[in-house]
Amino acid sequence: MAYDNDLVQQVRAYLRGIPRMAIEEKKMFGGLAFLVNGKMCINVSGDSLMCRFDPDNLDEIVERRGYRPMVMKGKNLAGYCYVGPEGYGQPEDFSYWLELCLAYNAQAKASSRR
């Protein structure tokens, strides 16, 4: 799946504005993932954001415009969702999703290297 280059640039610019973070870009999940401090934080897939968040916040997040659960093998993947353009189109909404992902990144576990 191709990803929206304008959205990639927007995520890239946002993350570059935050000091003391190691950011790596990697093709994952059919899109372009942004790893922050060695952990997958946010991904651009098509014209959507794929967000990694604290699963304990699901009740609040599911009510947000643009939210779609991430489904793998027929099951919702806890702590991950997609957000369509209608959910991040306004600057405050875009910031909400990125800050949500960054907040969880500090406590998230890194995937084991294969």
Short mmCIF file of all heavy atoms in Angstrom, two decimals, residues 18-83:
data_model
loop_
_atom_site.label_atom_id
_atom_site.label_comp_id
_atom_site.label_asym_id
_atom_site.label_seq_id
_atom_site.Cartn_x
_atom_site.Cartn_y
_atom_site.Cartn_z
N ILE A 18 10.30 18.20 18.34
CA ILE A 18 10.40 17.76 19.73
C ILE A 18 11.85 17.35 20.01
O ILE A 18 12.38 16.46 19.36
CB ILE A 18 9.44 16.58 19.99
CG1 ILE A 18 8.00 17.00 19.67
CG2 ILE A 18 9.57 16.11 21.45
CD1 ILE A 18 7.01 15.88 19.69
N PRO A 19 12.49 18.02 20.97
CA PRO A 19 13.90 17.73 21.25
C PRO A 19 14.12 16.38 21.93
O PRO A 19 13.21 15.82 22.53
CB PRO A 19 14.32 18.88 22.17
CG PRO A 19 13.05 19.33 22.81
CD PRO A 19 11.95 19.06 21.82
N ARG A 20 15.34 15.90 21.82
CA ARG A 20 15.83 14.70 22.50
C ARG A 20 15.04 13.43 22.20
O ARG A 20 14.74 12.65 23.09
CB ARG A 20 15.88 14.94 24.02
CG ARG A 20 16.90 16.01 24.41
CD ARG A 20 16.99 16.20 25.90
NE ARG A 20 15.75 16.66 26.51
CZ ARG A 20 15.29 17.91 26.49
NH1 ARG A 20 15.97 18.86 25.90
NH2 ARG A 20 14.17 18.24 27.10
N MET A 21 14.72 13.23 20.93
CA MET A 21 14.08 11.99 20.51
C MET A 21 14.88 11.41 19.36
O MET A 21 15.26 12.13 18.44
CB MET A 21 12.65 12.23 20.02
CG MET A 21 11.65 12.39 21.11
SD MET A 21 9.93 12.27 20.54
CE MET A 21 9.93 13.09 18.99
N ALA A 22 15.13 10.12 19.44
CA ALA A 22 15.75 9.42 18.32
C ALA A 22 14.62 8.92 17.42
O ALA A 22 13.79 8.11 17.85
CB ALA A 22 16.59 8.26 18.83
N ILE A 23 14.57 9.42 16.20
CA ILE A 23 13.50 9.06 15.27
C ILE A 23 14.09 8.28 14.11
O ILE A 23 15.06 8.70 13.49
CB ILE A 23 12.78 10.32 14.75
CG1 ILE A 23 12.19 11.11 15.92
CG2 ILE A 23 11.69 9.95 13.76
CD1 ILE A 23 11.77 12.50 15.57
N GLU A 24 13.46 7.16 13.82
CA GLU A 24 13.86 6.32 12.69
C GLU A 24 12.62 6.06 11.85
O GLU A 24 11.53 5.87 12.39
CB GLU A 24 14.43 4.99 13.22
CG GLU A 24 14.82 4.02 12.14
CD GLU A 24 15.25 2.67 12.73
OE1 GLU A 24 15.36 2.54 13.96
OE2 GLU A 24 15.47 1.76 11.92
N GLU A 25 12.77 6.06 10.55
CA GLU A 25 11.66 5.76 9.65
C GLU A 25 11.91 4.39 9.04
O GLU A 25 13.03 4.06 8.65
CB GLU A 25 11.56 6.82 8.56
CG GLU A 25 11.24 8.19 9.11
CD GLU A 25 11.17 9.26 8.04
OE1 GLU A 25 11.05 8.92 6.83
OE2 GLU A 25 11.24 10.45 8.40
N LYS A 26 10.84 3.59 8.97
CA LYS A 26 10.98 2.23 8.49
C LYS A 26 9.68 1.80 7.81
O LYS A 26 8.59 2.06 8.33
CB LYS A 26 11.27 1.32 9.68
CG LYS A 26 11.60 -0.09 9.34
CD LYS A 26 12.00 -0.82 10.62
CE LYS A 26 12.49 -2.21 10.32
NZ LYS A 26 12.85 -2.91 11.56
N LYS A 27 9.79 1.15 6.66
CA LYS A 27 8.60 0.64 5.99
C LYS A 27 8.08 -0.56 6.78
O LYS A 27 8.79 -1.55 6.97
CB LYS A 27 8.90 0.27 4.55
CG LYS A 27 9.16 1.49 3.71
CD LYS A 27 9.31 1.19 2.25
CE LYS A 27 9.54 2.50 1.50
NZ LYS A 27 9.60 2.31 0.07
N MET A 28 6.85 -0.41 7.28
CA MET A 28 6.20 -1.45 8.09
C MET A 28 4.69 -1.36 7.89
O MET A 28 4.16 -0.28 7.61
CB MET A 28 6.47 -1.24 9.59
CG MET A 28 7.90 -1.34 10.02
SD MET A 28 8.13 -0.89 11.77
CE MET A 28 7.27 -2.20 12.59
N PHE A 29 4.01 -2.45 8.10
CA PHE A 29 2.54 -2.48 8.08
C PHE A 29 1.97 -1.87 6.79
O PHE A 29 0.92 -1.23 6.81
CB PHE A 29 1.96 -1.73 9.29
CG PHE A 29 2.36 -2.30 10.62
CD1 PHE A 29 3.25 -1.62 11.43
CD2 PHE A 29 1.86 -3.52 11.05
CE1 PHE A 29 3.62 -2.14 12.66
CE2 PHE A 29 2.23 -4.04 12.28
CZ PHE A 29 3.11 -3.35 13.09
N GLY A 30 2.67 -2.02 5.70
CA GLY A 30 2.19 -1.48 4.43
C GLY A 30 2.27 0.03 4.34
O GLY A 30 1.64 0.63 3.49
N GLY A 31 3.04 0.65 5.22
CA GLY A 31 3.17 2.10 5.22
C GLY A 31 4.55 2.51 5.69
O GLY A 31 5.50 1.72 5.60
N LEU A 32 4.67 3.71 6.18
CA LEU A 32 5.93 4.21 6.70
C LEU A 32 5.77 4.46 8.19
O LEU A 32 4.95 5.28 8.61
CB LEU A 32 6.36 5.50 6.00
CG LEU A 32 7.75 6.01 6.38
CD1 LEU A 32 8.83 5.03 5.91
CD2 LEU A 32 8.00 7.38 5.82
N ALA A 33 6.54 3.71 8.99
CA ALA A 33 6.46 3.82 10.44
C ALA A 33 7.51 4.79 10.95
O ALA A 33 8.61 4.88 10.40
CB ALA A 33 6.68 2.45 11.08
N PHE A 34 7.15 5.48 12.01
CA PHE A 34 8.08 6.34 12.73
C PHE A 34 8.35 5.67 14.07
O PHE A 34 7.45 5.53 14.89
CB PHE A 34 7.47 7.74 12.93
CG PHE A 34 7.35 8.50 11.65
CD1 PHE A 34 6.25 8.34 10.83
CD2 PHE A 34 8.35 9.38 11.25
CE1 PHE A 34 6.14 9.04 9.63
CE2 PHE A 34 8.25 10.09 10.06
CZ PHE A 34 7.14 9.92 9.25
N LEU A 35 9.60 5.24 14.23
CA LEU A 35 10.02 4.65 15.49
C LEU A 35 10.64 5.76 16.32
O LEU A 35 11.48 6.52 15.83
CB LEU A 35 11.04 3.54 15.26
CG LEU A 35 10.48 2.23 14.69
CD1 LEU A 35 10.15 2.36 13.22
CD2 LEU A 35 11.45 1.11 14.92
N VAL A 36 10.19 5.87 17.55
CA VAL A 36 10.70 6.89 18.46
C VAL A 36 11.42 6.16 19.59
O VAL A 36 10.84 5.29 20.24
CB VAL A 36 9.56 7.78 19.00
CG1 VAL A 36 10.08 8.74 20.05
CG2 VAL A 36 8.89 8.53 17.85
N ASN A 37 12.69 6.50 19.75
CA ASN A 37 13.53 5.85 20.75
C ASN A 37 13.47 4.33 20.65
O ASN A 37 13.35 3.62 21.64
CB ASN A 37 13.14 6.34 22.15
CG ASN A 37 13.33 7.84 22.29
OD1 ASN A 37 14.22 8.42 21.69
ND2 ASN A 37 12.48 8.48 23.07
N GLY A 38 13.50 3.85 19.40
CA GLY A 38 13.56 2.41 19.12
C GLY A 38 12.23 1.67 19.16
O GLY A 38 12.21 0.46 19.01
N LYS A 39 11.12 2.39 19.33
CA LYS A 39 9.82 1.74 19.43
C LYS A 39 8.85 2.32 18.41
O LYS A 39 8.80 3.53 18.21
CB LYS A 39 9.25 1.91 20.84
CG LYS A 39 10.13 1.27 21.91
CD LYS A 39 9.61 1.56 23.28
CE LYS A 39 10.23 2.84 23.81
NZ LYS A 39 9.91 3.12 25.19
N MET A 40 8.07 1.44 17.77
CA MET A 40 7.09 1.89 16.80
C MET A 40 6.11 2.82 17.52
O MET A 40 5.53 2.47 18.54
CB MET A 40 6.33 0.70 16.21
CG MET A 40 5.71 0.95 14.84
SD MET A 40 4.47 2.24 14.67
CE MET A 40 3.06 1.43 15.36
N CYS A 41 5.95 4.02 16.98
CA CYS A 41 5.11 5.04 17.62
C CYS A 41 3.88 5.36 16.77
O CYS A 41 2.76 5.31 17.26
CB CYS A 41 5.94 6.29 17.86
SG CYS A 41 5.09 7.59 18.76
N ILE A 42 4.11 5.68 15.51
CA ILE A 42 3.02 6.06 14.61
C ILE A 42 3.40 5.66 13.20
O ILE A 42 4.59 5.58 12.87
CB ILE A 42 2.71 7.57 14.74
CG1 ILE A 42 1.37 7.90 14.10
CG2 ILE A 42 3.83 8.42 14.18
CD1 ILE A 42 0.75 9.17 14.64
N ASN A 43 2.41 5.39 12.39
CA ASN A 43 2.65 4.91 11.04
C ASN A 43 1.71 5.67 10.10
O ASN A 43 0.58 5.98 10.48
CB ASN A 43 2.33 3.40 11.02
CG ASN A 43 2.60 2.74 9.70
OD1 ASN A 43 2.05 3.11 8.67
ND2 ASN A 43 3.43 1.74 9.71
N VAL A 44 2.19 5.96 8.92
CA VAL A 44 1.33 6.53 7.88
C VAL A 44 1.06 5.40 6.88
O VAL A 44 1.98 4.82 6.30
CB VAL A 44 2.00 7.73 7.17
CG1 VAL A 44 1.13 8.22 6.02
CG2 VAL A 44 2.27 8.84 8.17
N SER A 45 -0.22 5.07 6.75
CA SER A 45 -0.64 3.98 5.88
C SER A 45 -1.75 4.52 4.98
O SER A 45 -2.83 4.86 5.48
CB SER A 45 -1.15 2.82 6.75
OG SER A 45 -1.52 1.73 5.96
N GLY A 46 -1.47 4.62 3.70
CA GLY A 46 -2.42 5.26 2.80
C GLY A 46 -2.59 6.71 3.21
O GLY A 46 -1.61 7.44 3.38
N ASP A 47 -3.84 7.13 3.43
CA ASP A 47 -4.08 8.49 3.92
C ASP A 47 -4.48 8.49 5.39
O ASP A 47 -5.07 9.44 5.89
CB ASP A 47 -5.15 9.19 3.07
CG ASP A 47 -6.53 8.56 3.20
OD1 ASP A 47 -6.66 7.47 3.82
OD2 ASP A 47 -7.50 9.13 2.68
N SER A 48 -4.16 7.39 6.09
CA SER A 48 -4.51 7.26 7.50
C SER A 48 -3.27 7.24 8.38
O SER A 48 -2.19 6.86 7.95
CB SER A 48 -5.29 5.96 7.73
OG SER A 48 -6.53 5.99 7.07
N LEU A 49 -3.49 7.61 9.63
CA LEU A 49 -2.48 7.42 10.67
C LEU A 49 -2.78 6.08 11.34
O LEU A 49 -3.94 5.76 11.59
CB LEU A 49 -2.56 8.52 11.73
CG LEU A 49 -2.28 9.94 11.28
CD1 LEU A 49 -2.58 10.91 12.43
CD2 LEU A 49 -0.83 10.07 10.84
N MET A 50 -1.75 5.30 11.60
CA MET A 50 -1.91 4.13 12.43
C MET A 50 -1.24 4.48 13.75
O MET A 50 -0.04 4.77 13.79
CB MET A 50 -1.25 2.90 11.83
CG MET A 50 -1.57 1.64 12.62
SD MET A 50 -0.61 0.23 12.06
CE MET A 50 0.84 0.45 13.08
N CYS A 51 -2.04 4.52 14.80
CA CYS A 51 -1.56 5.01 16.10
C CYS A 51 -1.35 3.87 17.08
O CYS A 51 -2.16 2.94 17.15
CB CYS A 51 -2.58 5.99 16.68
SG CYS A 51 -2.84 7.44 15.65
N ARG A 52 -0.30 3.97 17.87
CA ARG A 52 -0.05 3.05 18.97
C ARG A 52 -0.30 3.83 20.25
O ARG A 52 0.31 4.88 20.48
CB ARG A 52 1.40 2.56 18.93
CG ARG A 52 1.70 1.51 19.98
CD ARG A 52 3.11 1.01 19.86
NE ARG A 52 3.34 -0.11 20.75
CZ ARG A 52 4.54 -0.57 21.06
NH1 ARG A 52 5.62 0.01 20.55
NH2 ARG A 52 4.66 -1.59 21.88
N PHE A 53 -1.20 3.32 21.08
CA PHE A 53 -1.63 4.05 22.26
C PHE A 53 -1.82 3.10 23.44
O PHE A 53 -1.86 1.89 23.27
CB PHE A 53 -2.93 4.81 21.97
CG PHE A 53 -4.09 3.90 21.61
CD1 PHE A 53 -4.92 3.40 22.60
CD2 PHE A 53 -4.33 3.54 20.30
CE1 PHE A 53 -5.98 2.55 22.29
CE2 PHE A 53 -5.38 2.70 19.97
CZ PHE A 53 -6.21 2.20 20.97
N ASP A 54 -1.96 3.68 24.61
CA ASP A 54 -2.21 2.91 25.82
C ASP A 54 -3.60 2.28 25.72
O ASP A 54 -4.61 3.00 25.64
CB ASP A 54 -2.12 3.83 27.04
CG ASP A 54 -2.25 3.09 28.36
OD1 ASP A 54 -2.74 1.94 28.37
OD2 ASP A 54 -1.86 3.67 29.38
N PRO A 55 -3.69 0.95 25.71
CA PRO A 55 -5.00 0.30 25.60
C PRO A 55 -5.98 0.70 26.70
O PRO A 55 -7.19 0.61 26.51
CB PRO A 55 -4.67 -1.20 25.68
CG PRO A 55 -3.23 -1.31 25.38
CD PRO A 55 -2.60 -0.02 25.77
N ASP A 56 -5.48 1.17 27.84
CA ASP A 56 -6.36 1.61 28.93
C ASP A 56 -7.15 2.86 28.54
O ASP A 56 -8.14 3.18 29.20
CB ASP A 56 -5.55 1.90 30.20
CG ASP A 56 -4.98 0.64 30.82
OD1 ASP A 56 -5.48 -0.47 30.52
OD2 ASP A 56 -4.03 0.75 31.61
N ASN A 57 -6.74 3.56 27.49
CA ASN A 57 -7.43 4.77 27.04
C ASN A 57 -8.45 4.51 25.94
O ASN A 57 -8.99 5.46 25.36
CB ASN A 57 -6.41 5.80 26.55
CG ASN A 57 -5.52 6.30 27.66
OD1 ASN A 57 -5.88 6.27 28.83
ND2 ASN A 57 -4.33 6.74 27.30
N LEU A 58 -8.73 3.26 25.65
CA LEU A 58 -9.59 2.92 24.52
C LEU A 58 -10.97 3.57 24.62
O LEU A 58 -11.49 4.06 23.61
CB LEU A 58 -9.73 1.40 24.38
CG LEU A 58 -10.59 0.93 23.21
CD1 LEU A 58 -9.98 1.38 21.88
CD2 LEU A 58 -10.76 -0.57 23.24
N ASP A 59 -11.58 3.59 25.79
CA ASP A 59 -12.93 4.15 25.91
C ASP A 59 -13.00 5.59 25.44
O ASP A 59 -13.98 6.00 24.82
CB ASP A 59 -13.43 4.05 27.36
CG ASP A 59 -13.73 2.61 27.78
OD1 ASP A 59 -13.87 1.75 26.88
OD2 ASP A 59 -13.81 2.35 28.98
N GLU A 60 -11.96 6.37 25.72
CA GLU A 60 -11.91 7.77 25.27
C GLU A 60 -11.62 7.85 23.77
O GLU A 60 -12.25 8.62 23.04
CB GLU A 60 -10.82 8.52 26.04
CG GLU A 60 -10.51 9.89 25.49
CD GLU A 60 -9.23 10.48 26.06
OE1 GLU A 60 -8.80 10.08 27.16
OE2 GLU A 60 -8.66 11.36 25.38
N ILE A 61 -10.70 7.04 23.31
CA ILE A 61 -10.22 7.11 21.93
C ILE A 61 -11.28 6.67 20.93
O ILE A 61 -11.44 7.27 19.87
CB ILE A 61 -8.93 6.28 21.79
CG1 ILE A 61 -7.82 6.92 22.62
CG2 ILE A 61 -8.52 6.12 20.35
CD1 ILE A 61 -6.64 6.03 22.87
N VAL A 62 -12.04 5.63 21.27
CA VAL A 62 -13.02 5.08 20.35
C VAL A 62 -14.11 6.10 19.99
O VAL A 62 -14.73 6.00 18.94
CB VAL A 62 -13.63 3.77 20.93
CG1 VAL A 62 -14.59 4.05 22.06
CG2 VAL A 62 -14.28 2.95 19.86
N GLU A 63 -14.29 7.11 20.82
CA GLU A 63 -15.30 8.14 20.59
C GLU A 63 -14.81 9.24 19.64
O GLU A 63 -15.59 10.08 19.20
CB GLU A 63 -15.73 8.77 21.92
CG GLU A 63 -16.37 7.78 22.88
CD GLU A 63 -17.67 7.18 22.35
OE1 GLU A 63 -18.43 7.92 21.69
OE2 GLU A 63 -17.90 5.99 22.59
N ARG A 64 -13.54 9.26 19.33
CA ARG A 64 -12.98 10.34 18.50
C ARG A 64 -13.33 10.14 17.03
O ARG A 64 -13.36 9.00 16.53
CB ARG A 64 -11.46 10.40 18.66
CG ARG A 64 -11.08 10.64 20.10
CD ARG A 64 -10.30 11.78 20.46
NE ARG A 64 -9.88 12.76 19.53
CZ ARG A 64 -9.73 14.03 19.88
NH1 ARG A 64 -10.01 14.43 21.10
NH2 ARG A 64 -9.28 14.89 19.02
N ARG A 65 -13.59 11.23 16.36
CA ARG A 65 -13.89 11.20 14.93
C ARG A 65 -12.71 10.60 14.17
O ARG A 65 -11.56 10.90 14.45
CB ARG A 65 -14.19 12.62 14.46
CG ARG A 65 -14.58 12.73 13.01
CD ARG A 65 -14.81 14.16 12.60
NE ARG A 65 -13.74 15.00 13.11
CZ ARG A 65 -13.94 16.18 13.67
NH1 ARG A 65 -15.13 16.68 13.77
NH2 ARG A 65 -12.92 16.89 14.11
N GLY A 66 -12.99 9.74 13.21
CA GLY A 66 -11.96 9.16 12.36
C GLY A 66 -11.38 7.86 12.87
O GLY A 66 -10.65 7.19 12.16
N TYR A 67 -11.70 7.48 14.12
CA TYR A 67 -11.16 6.26 14.72
C TYR A 67 -11.68 5.01 14.00
O TYR A 67 -12.87 4.91 13.69
CB TYR A 67 -11.57 6.19 16.20
CG TYR A 67 -11.35 4.82 16.81
CD1 TYR A 67 -10.13 4.49 17.38
CD2 TYR A 67 -12.35 3.86 16.80
CE1 TYR A 67 -9.91 3.24 17.93
CE2 TYR A 67 -12.14 2.60 17.34
CZ TYR A 67 -10.93 2.30 17.91
OH TYR A 67 -10.71 1.05 18.44
N ARG A 68 -10.78 4.08 13.74
CA ARG A 68 -11.13 2.74 13.25
C ARG A 68 -10.22 1.75 13.97
O ARG A 68 -9.00 1.98 14.04
CB ARG A 68 -10.90 2.60 11.75
CG ARG A 68 -11.80 3.45 10.89
CD ARG A 68 -11.65 3.14 9.39
NE ARG A 68 -10.35 2.75 8.93
CZ ARG A 68 -9.42 3.56 8.42
NH1 ARG A 68 -9.63 4.86 8.37
NH2 ARG A 68 -8.26 3.09 7.98
N PRO A 69 -10.75 0.67 14.48
CA PRO A 69 -9.87 -0.30 15.14
C PRO A 69 -8.93 -0.94 14.13
O PRO A 69 -9.23 -1.02 12.94
CB PRO A 69 -10.85 -1.33 15.71
CG PRO A 69 -12.08 -1.20 14.87
CD PRO A 69 -12.14 0.24 14.43
N MET A 70 -7.78 -1.36 14.62
CA MET A 70 -6.85 -2.11 13.77
C MET A 70 -7.18 -3.58 13.96
O MET A 70 -7.16 -4.10 15.08
CB MET A 70 -5.41 -1.83 14.16
CG MET A 70 -4.42 -2.53 13.26
SD MET A 70 -2.74 -1.99 13.63
CE MET A 70 -1.83 -3.05 12.51
N VAL A 71 -7.52 -4.25 12.87
CA VAL A 71 -7.93 -5.64 12.93
C VAL A 71 -6.87 -6.50 12.23
O VAL A 71 -6.49 -6.23 11.10
CB VAL A 71 -9.31 -5.84 12.25
CG1 VAL A 71 -9.73 -7.30 12.28
CG2 VAL A 71 -10.36 -4.95 12.91
N MET A 72 -6.41 -7.52 12.95
CA MET A 72 -5.46 -8.49 12.39
C MET A 72 -5.99 -9.89 12.67
O MET A 72 -6.37 -10.19 13.81
CB MET A 72 -4.07 -8.32 12.99
CG MET A 72 -3.37 -7.05 12.54
SD MET A 72 -1.67 -6.95 13.08
CE MET A 72 -0.90 -8.12 11.98
N LYS A 73 -6.06 -10.69 11.63
CA LYS A 73 -6.55 -12.07 11.75
C LYS A 73 -7.93 -12.11 12.41
O LYS A 73 -8.21 -12.97 13.23
CB LYS A 73 -5.55 -12.94 12.51
CG LYS A 73 -4.21 -13.04 11.80
CD LYS A 73 -3.24 -13.92 12.55
CE LYS A 73 -1.91 -13.93 11.81
NZ LYS A 73 -0.92 -14.73 12.48
N GLY A 74 -8.77 -11.13 12.06
CA GLY A 74 -10.13 -11.10 12.54
C GLY A 74 -10.33 -10.56 13.95
O GLY A 74 -11.45 -10.57 14.45
N LYS A 75 -9.28 -10.09 14.60
CA LYS A 75 -9.39 -9.59 15.97
C LYS A 75 -8.85 -8.17 16.06
O LYS A 75 -7.89 -7.83 15.39
CB LYS A 75 -8.60 -10.48 16.93
CG LYS A 75 -9.14 -11.88 17.03
CD LYS A 75 -8.39 -12.68 18.05
CE LYS A 75 -8.96 -14.09 18.10
NZ LYS A 75 -8.34 -14.88 19.13
N ASN A 76 -9.50 -7.37 16.91
CA ASN A 76 -8.99 -6.02 17.17
C ASN A 76 -7.64 -6.13 17.87
O ASN A 76 -7.50 -6.89 18.83
CB ASN A 76 -9.95 -5.23 18.05
CG ASN A 76 -11.20 -4.81 17.32
OD1 ASN A 76 -11.38 -5.09 16.15
ND2 ASN A 76 -12.10 -4.16 18.03
N LEU A 77 -6.68 -5.38 17.39
CA LEU A 77 -5.34 -5.37 17.98
C LEU A 77 -5.30 -4.30 19.06
O LEU A 77 -5.38 -3.10 18.77
CB LEU A 77 -4.29 -5.11 16.90
CG LEU A 77 -2.84 -5.27 17.29
CD1 LEU A 77 -2.56 -6.69 17.80
CD2 LEU A 77 -1.94 -4.98 16.12
N ALA A 78 -5.22 -4.73 20.30
CA ALA A 78 -5.25 -3.82 21.44
C ALA A 78 -4.09 -2.82 21.36
O ALA A 78 -2.96 -3.19 21.11
CB ALA A 78 -5.17 -4.59 22.75
N GLY A 79 -4.42 -1.55 21.58
CA GLY A 79 -3.40 -0.52 21.61
C GLY A 79 -3.03 0.05 20.26
O GLY A 79 -2.09 0.85 20.16
N TYR A 80 -3.74 -0.32 19.21
CA TYR A 80 -3.48 0.20 17.87
C TYR A 80 -4.81 0.57 17.22
O TYR A 80 -5.83 -0.08 17.42
CB TYR A 80 -2.81 -0.85 16.98
CG TYR A 80 -1.41 -1.20 17.38
CD1 TYR A 80 -1.16 -2.17 18.35
CD2 TYR A 80 -0.32 -0.56 16.80
CE1 TYR A 80 0.13 -2.50 18.72
CE2 TYR A 80 0.98 -0.88 17.16
CZ TYR A 80 1.19 -1.86 18.12
OH TYR A 80 2.47 -2.18 18.49
N CYS A 81 -4.79 1.63 16.42
CA CYS A 81 -5.97 2.00 15.64
C CYS A 81 -5.54 2.77 14.40
O CYS A 81 -4.39 3.19 14.29
CB CYS A 81 -6.93 2.86 16.47
SG CYS A 81 -6.36 4.54 16.80
N TYR A 82 -6.47 2.92 13.50
CA TYR A 82 -6.29 3.78 12.34
C TYR A 82 -7.13 5.03 12.56
O TYR A 82 -8.18 4.98 13.19
CB TYR A 82 -6.77 3.09 11.06
CG TYR A 82 -5.88 1.98 10.60
CD1 TYR A 82 -6.25 0.64 10.77
CD2 TYR A 82 -4.66 2.25 9.99
CE1 TYR A 82 -5.43 -0.38 10.34
CE2 TYR A 82 -3.83 1.22 9.56
CZ TYR A 82 -4.23 -0.09 9.74
OH TYR A 82 -3.42 -1.10 9.32
N VAL A 83 -6.65 6.13 12.02
CA VAL A 83 -7.39 7.39 12.07
C VAL A 83 -7.41 7.95 10.66
O VAL A 83 -6.36 8.21 10.06
CB VAL A 83 -6.72 8.40 13.03
CG1 VAL A 83 -7.53 9.69 13.08
CG2 VAL A 83 -6.56 7.81 14.42
#
